[in-house]
Structure formats: structure tokens, C-alpha cells
Amino acid sequence: PENQDALIQAVSDAVDKVVLVVMGGGPVDIAQWRDSPKVQAIMWCGYPGQDGGTALADAIFGVTNPGGKLTQTWYPEEFTQQAALDDYRMRPNVTEGYPGRSYRFYTGNPVFAFGDGMSYTTFDIVLESQPATYQHVLSAEGLEKELATAALTPLEKPAPLISLKVTVSNNGTRTGSEVALLYVASPNAGADGAPLKSLAAFEKFHLAAGESGEAVFQLTAEHLSFVNVHGERRAVRGTWRVWAGNHGEAAAIEVAVA
């Protein structure tokens, strides 16, 4: 709201460093303050409850170390002009100027992305094949059979096809928490109704300074398929990409479906 923007501006004019705390049930466009040199940190806390003030003070002054990740895409204000309130389509429509919804389909530039979140320490996330030298080549026909079997036995755990090891290392000076997010993207990501990427798995780590932790993610046929515009889940031939973290796409592991 305008009066709150005015308050933030007045405080920014009076001091050199500002911590902006956002309380709300959903995302808002705060790009103006994200880009402000005076705003040194932004903390979103939803509706923190009766002891929220104490929790906020502990986090701001470093008594505790926050490690949360955003569960939503934070759209810019222009999104309200592009998507009607009662339009729940996920996939974008270029002809209509509709950018799509959610981290899986939104084609615009978000204020903050799904999965964003910082800490008072720093982490490295490394994803490796299991074993590290394994070359992933799968049959599309085999994936289709696995999908058919899974559809007939929905209560049974699907067979794992690929194992990937993620190593998270705390390189900072404080104990902290990090969530390793595992994403997959199809060969035609962002085209023909395919999502840009999809969250396949995640694991949270609580690590002391200098400590590392490992987890093994297992991909099934469902992870290497997507639901087309006809509502049918299908395997897609080509090179799939798998990576860990919001900034790990450059080091993606390739999986070939032939």
C-alpha cells in the first residue's frame, strides 16, 4: 500500500541501513525495495503469531539463523494486469500475452523466485550421479511401461530408475539450515505445454560450520515424464536435465531418453 511505501522511504531517508520485514499471507511486489541500496535485508514472515516479535528480533539480531525458502513465486505488479483473478490457467499463452503461473510455467521475471531464501552462513550444493561415472540412458518404451504399471498400482512405491547424490557443505562460520531442491526439466521445457522445470525432491540439512551432509535422491518414470495438454502423462524422448538448487542449472546432469 502507498502509505507503507511512504513509511519505508521515510525510514530509508533517515538511516543508512534498513531491514524490511514483510507480514502478509502472500507475495507482494517489493522490487523497489529489493533494489534499494538502503535496504540491506528483507525478511518475510507471514503472520508469525503472538510471540512473533521475539522471533523476529532474534532473527534480525543474529540470535537465530533463518533458513527458510519461499514456497511461492513473487510476481511483479504487472502480473495483475496480465492474469485475471478468476483465470487459473497454469500454462502461458503468448497470443493473449498471458505469462502463465507458478515456478513451473511463469515466463516473466519474478520479484523473487520459488525456493529463494538466504542465511547468515553460506552453502555449496553439489549433485552427482550414483556412481559418479554412470551415464544415464533410458528407453522411452520402458518408461511408458513403468508409467502404466504405476497407474494400475497407485498405492505402491514406484521403482527407482536413477540415483543421484547431493552433498551440501556449510562453508560459513555459523550453524545453519539449507534445503536442497532437486529440479528436472524435459527436452522441450517451456514448449508444447511442458513446464520450464519441476521440483522432483528436496531434503533439509542442519549443518554446523564446516560440516557437510549427503542425501540420495531417486528418480522414477514419473519424474521423467509430464502431463500433456490432453491430460495424458507421457515419456518424452531427448535429453532431460536434473540439477540441485535455484542456481545449479549450469551444472545439470543429463539423462537421455531414447
Side-chain angles (χ1 to χ4, degrees):
E2 183 177 353
N3 58 338
Q4 295 186 31
D5 277 338
L7 174 61
I8 299 170
Q9 185 63 62
V11 173
S12 299
D13 291 341
V15 298
D16 291 329
K17 297 181 179 180
V18 176
V19 176
L20 174 61
V21 177
V22 181
M23 294 186 181
V28 291
D29 186 348
I30 52 173
Q32 174 185 358
W33 309 115
R34 176 201 63 192
D35 299 335
S36 170
K38 292 291 191 71
V39 176
Q40 301 293 295
I42 298 173
M43 182 177 294
W44 180 84
C45 60
Y47 299 111
Q50 93 175 17
D51 208 30
T54 302
L56 280 170
D58 284 348
I60 290 173
F61 290 99
V63 177
T64 59
N65 186 4
K69 301 294 185 184
L70 291 179
T71 59
Q72 300 174 348
T73 299
W74 283 41
Y75 304 105
E77 184 179 5
E78 65 189 39
F79 181 75
T80 62
Q81 307 301 318
Q82 298 168 329
L85 188 62
D86 59 352
D87 188 344
Y88 296 103
R89 289 177 297 168
M90 289 289 145
R91 292 174 170 85
N93 187 308
V94 177
T95 303
E96 298 178 10
Y98 180 67
R101 289 180 183 269
S102 84
Y103 79 97
R104 298 179 72 224
F105 294 104
Y106 180 61
T107 55
N109 295 316
V111 178
F112 292 108
F114 168 89
D116 277 353
M118 301 178 70
S119 167
Y120 292 138
T121 188
T122 57
F123 297 93
D124 276 345
I125 301 177
V126 177
L127 186 68
E128 299 176 282
S129 299
Q130 284 287 91
T133 57
Y134 186 74
Q135 298 296 313
H136 302 293
V137 180
L138 301 174
S139 161
E141 289 78 8
L143 290 178
E144 292 286 356
K145 291 180 180 178
E146 291 287 344
L147 292 171
T149 300
L152 293 173
T153 56
L155 299 182
E156 295 184 11
K157 188 176 181 179
L161 302 176
I162 294 174
S163 292
L164 302 169
K165 182 181 75 172
V166 63
T167 303
V168 178
S169 303
N170 183 346
N171 297 322
T173 59
R174 295 197 52 171
T175 295
S177 298
E178 175 68 341
V179 181
L181 305 170
L182 187 73
Y183 292 106
V184 298
S186 67
N188 57 336
D192 303 322
L196 297 166
K197 62 182 179 180
S198 295
L199 182 67
F202 63 91
E203 186 73 29
K204 189 167 187 176
F205 296 82
H206 301 277
L207 300 171
E211 186 181 9
S212 296
E214 297 179 353
V216 175
F217 294 130
Q218 294 183 325
L219 298 183
T220 68
E222 182 176 348
H223 295 125
L224 300 173
S225 63
F226 73 90
V227 178
N228 61 25
V229 295
H230 304 294
E232 302 164 335
R233 180 169 290 280
R234 291 286 183 264
V236 179
R237 286 181 168 84
T239 301
W240 289 70
R241 292 174 297 118
V242 187
W243 67 91
N246 275 21
H247 306 290
E249 187 172 0
I253 291 174
E254 294 186 345
V255 179
V257 176

